Amino acid sequence: MKLVICHLYPDLMNIYGDRGNVIALAKRCLWRGIDVEVKSLGLGDKVEPGAYDIFFMGGGQDKEQVMVSHDLYETKGETIRREIEQGACALVICGGYQLFGNFYRPAEGEELPGIGVFDAYTIAGSKRFIGNVFVETCLDGRKTTVVGFENHSGKTYLGKNERPLGEIIVGYGNNGEDKTEGAVHLGAIGTYLHGSLLPKNPELADFLIRKALKRTYPGRDIEALDDSVENLAHKHAIKRAKKTH
Ligand code: GLN
């Protein structure tokens, strides 16, 4: 088996070590004997239909978002949207998440176009939401938790039919108002959680790997790994989140 990961704008959209999510996905595949290929796409690069199993885009400050938003919208957006409708997965973090919605209106400058994977929009708030976050979610019918770190001024509001990744237990999440965090549309997950996210959330990592492999290898499952270290980090992050809010 092989998984192909498309890393979008790795040089521009990678704050708080978000590239660690690509490393975690790759490692969790390689530890299972699944081959992995990571391809980077930057400004001007086109998305080859059918070539990728998972799209990844990290976070970025408004400046970097301005630099990538029109390119994402004009050269990649339609294909990525279609690929996700046809079974590809995505994990997009914070600034990347905002640009996978319908638009992002920063505090200054023009409104940035989003590619509409999520029925959501983001407007800059007056307060920065910073801190450790703890979310309750349900992955493949199993209740679980997700932990991470947030730092954003953007407030994201989901369309009435869009599913959040989870419910905020500690932290601000999408907008600090409706207790939602992130968004899920088919195999695409958007979230404000940096960390990087996946090393401390092995269940979420495996949810994405399982879903991404399904399109090419239907019926094939992945075996469990020894996640004792990851789960220890997860539990510690929950304790820390509870203490800091
Ligand atoms: N610039 C966006 C905001 O401040 C996203 C920041 C980020 O990716 N951490 O909301």
Side-chain angles (χ1 to χ4, degrees), residues 23-228:
I23 297 169
L25 286 169
K27 282 289 180 195
R28 293 184 73 82
C29 285
L30 294 171
W31 291 336
R32 292 172 164 117
I34 300 169
D35 291 333
V36 178
E37 189 179 356
V38 179
K39 291 184 182 171
S40 298
L41 288 188
L43 295 173
D45 293 336
K46 296 256 189 269
V47 177
E48 187 193 335
Y52 304 103
D53 302 297
I54 298 186
F55 294 93
F56 176 78
M57 187 166 165
Q61 298 306 336
D62 288 5
K63 180 165 66 61
E64 286 88 7
Q65 288 176 281
V66 170
M67 289 167 76
V68 306
S69 60
H70 291 285
D71 178 82
L72 178 66
Y73 181 79
E74 287 152 20
T75 69
K76 302 176 178 61
E78 192 184 329
T79 310
I80 291 173
R81 222 181 16 256
R82 193 172 53 243
E83 290 293 297
I84 288 167
E85 294 302 323
Q86 292 171 4
C89 291
L91 175 65
V92 287
I93 312 287
C94 203
Y97 167 34
Q98 294 170 340
L99 296 179
F100 267 53
N102 296 320
F103 65 83
Y104 169 43
R105 194 176 300 148
E108 284 156 26
E110 60 163 349
E111 182 177 289
L112 304 179
I115 65 171
V117 167
F118 303 116
D119 176 19
Y121 67 89
T122 302
I123 47 177
S126 53
K127 167 185 177 166
R128 274 207 88 77
F129 294 146
I130 300 176
N132 295 305
V133 184
F134 161 29
V135 175
E136 275 183 353
T137 183
C138 188
L139 296 172
D140 279 341
R142 239 175 68 76
K143 275 195 166 185
T144 186
T145 51
V146 174
V147 295
F149 178 83
E150 64 185 328
N151 178 351
H152 57 103
S153 65
K155 296 166 74 172
T156 296
Y157 298 89
L158 303 183
K160 61 182 178 10
N161 299 322
E162 200 62 280
R163 187 159 64 92
L165 171 60
E167 181 193 354
I168 281 284
I169 306 300
V170 172
Y172 299 98
N174 279 330
N175 49 50
E177 297 159 12
D178 62 13
K179 287 285 182 198
T180 64
E181 158 47 23
V184 179
H185 178 76
L186 299 176
I189 292 179
T191 177
Y192 273 109
L193 301 191
H194 297 285
S196 44
L197 174 72
L198 295 182
K200 286 193 290 293
N201 296 285
E203 279 190 85
L204 184 58
D206 285 353
F207 170 80
L208 272 166
I209 293 170
R210 206 175 275 117
K211 218 160 179 61
L213 289 171
K214 205 169 171 182
R215 180 165 68 158
T216 318
Y217 308 98
R220 293 288 299 269
D221 202 355
I222 53 174
E223 74 274 19
L225 293 172
D226 170 8
D227 286 329
S228 43

